[in-house]
Amino acid sequence: MPTLSPQQPTPDPGETHRHRDVAESFGEDAARYDRARPRYPQALIRRIARSAPGSDVLDVGCGTGIAARQFTAEGCRVRGLDADARMAEVARVNGLEVEVGRFEDWDPAGRSFDAVVAGQTWHWIDPAGGASRAAQILRPHGTLALFWNAGEPPAAVKDAFADVFRRAAPDSLALRGTSGSAVDGYGLICDKAADGIRGSGAFAEPERWREDWEFTYTKDAWLDQLPTTGAFPRLNARERAEVLAGIGEAIDAVGGRFTMHYATLAVVARRID
């Protein structure tokens, strides 16, 4: 779940779904992913759950079940779907009913749902085809809810992190992502998702929701989650080691912790008949 410079969207957010190899690399350390990734604001999860006509939810790209557990806490019956069997296995250990497969090819076997949700994953799915597919398995007036965490550290910390990537991995996607705003970058992804929903002709006009929140990371917590971000698997072993060492030093320089400001951005639409 991209939330900072090394995780920000690629320059063309409309083409991210063509790079599924990145999405399917997160299972290399699924336990770390489940442990370290930030959660979503429960107020947003609750709002999505209450917008649906019932409690049956399909979580697309459920990963290890982070969002699914939050929906379960709101009284939903959640079925997960993920392309990576390693992620799915952790989700099962966490009590989620999950199937392995890509959303585009998945056979619901006649099942339908009150909500289709996707946390930090819809950019790996073709926005037009994905919306049409969701409409096929949603019940009347069902909810399609797509959401992303966009994170911004304090400016000085962001600059220090950029310096590390500039030294250790100057050609990496992580460095290219250090310019600009994470909220703006994910806003473009939300725009693409909304366009796909409109193009399907199956939904009312999509709404844009936003929840702002903060989380304070210790050095150990940030270094634990950094390898789970989208750009990190593309680094070689030397670059990974140098990045982790440099980021650790940068966090030590600001007192061993920093507060990340998150904006969770959502695109939500109701299926029409």
Side-chain angles (χ1 to χ4, degrees):
M1 125 188 6
T3 53
L4 172 66
S5 53
Q7 303 136 280
Q8 285 182 9
T10 56
D12 186 353
E15 297 298 313
T16 318
H17 62 280
R18 301 187 187 280
H19 303 284
R20 292 289 290 269
D21 58 316
V22 178
E24 295 168 12
S25 70
F26 297 131
E28 292 177 3
D29 194 347
R32 178 198 292 265
Y33 186 101
D34 188 65
R35 176 180 69 242
R37 288 281 221 178
R39 277 44 182 167
Y40 304 96
Q42 197 64 30
L44 178 69
I45 299 294
R46 184 176 303 115
R47 186 179 179 188
I48 293 170
R50 291 179 178 177
S51 74
S55 57
D56 290 326
V57 174
L58 176 68
D59 185 358
V60 176
C62 66
T64 59
I66 291 172
R69 296 197 294 273
Q70 293 187 257
F71 278 102
T72 299
E74 295 299 327
C76 297
R77 294 185 296 270
V78 184
R79 179 167 297 276
L81 176 66
D82 200 273
D84 192 322
R86 299 165 297 181
M87 301 285 270
E89 182 57 32
V90 174
R92 292 191 186 102
V93 170
N94 287 326
L96 179 65
E97 294 185 7
V98 58
E99 299 178 26
V100 176
R102 294 189 176 194
F103 182 56
E104 300 90 333
D105 308 320
W106 180 64
D107 180 7
R111 292 166 292 182
S112 61
F113 298 86
D114 298 299
V116 172
V117 304
Q120 216 77 24
T121 58
W122 199 255
H123 51 286
W124 303 119
I125 295 171
D126 177 74
S132 296
R133 181 75 167 144
Q136 294 170 2
I137 61 175
L138 277 170
R139 293 169 184 158
H141 311 297
T143 296
L144 174 61
L146 321 170
F147 48 96
W148 292 266
N149 280 331
E152 288 284 354
V157 175
K158 182 175 181 177
D159 290 344
F161 287 178
D163 287 341
V164 171
F165 281 98
R166 192 172 294 113
R167 295 193 306 270
D171 298 323
S172 70
L173 173 63
L175 178 59
R176 296 199 300 274
T178 57
S179 60
S181 160
V183 171
D184 290 345
Y186 278 103
L188 294 175
I189 285 181
C190 288
D191 290 343
K192 292 290 185 180
D195 287 344
I197 291 169
R198 293 187 189 99
S200 73
F203 294 89
E205 176 63 19
E207 300 179 11
R208 301 285 282 269
W209 297 354
R210 172 172 173 162
E211 288 283 343
D212 290 275
W213 54 288
E214 292 183 342
F215 187 83
T216 297
Y217 284 96
T218 63
K219 178 178 74 172
D220 288 345
W222 185 252
L223 294 182
D224 193 28
Q225 70 82 41
L226 188 57
T228 72
T229 63
F232 205 84
R234 300 184 180 189
L235 304 179
N236 62 42
R238 177 193 62 78
E239 290 171 334
R240 294 184 187 192
E242 291 185 14
V243 164
L244 290 173
I247 294 294
E249 292 172 1
I251 298 173
D252 281 337
V254 295
R257 64 183 60 233
F258 67 94
T259 297
M260 176 79 78
H261 174 76
Y262 281 105
T264 302
L265 308 179
V267 179
V268 182
R270 184 179 296 272
R271 182 194 151 189
I272 55 177
D273 294 324

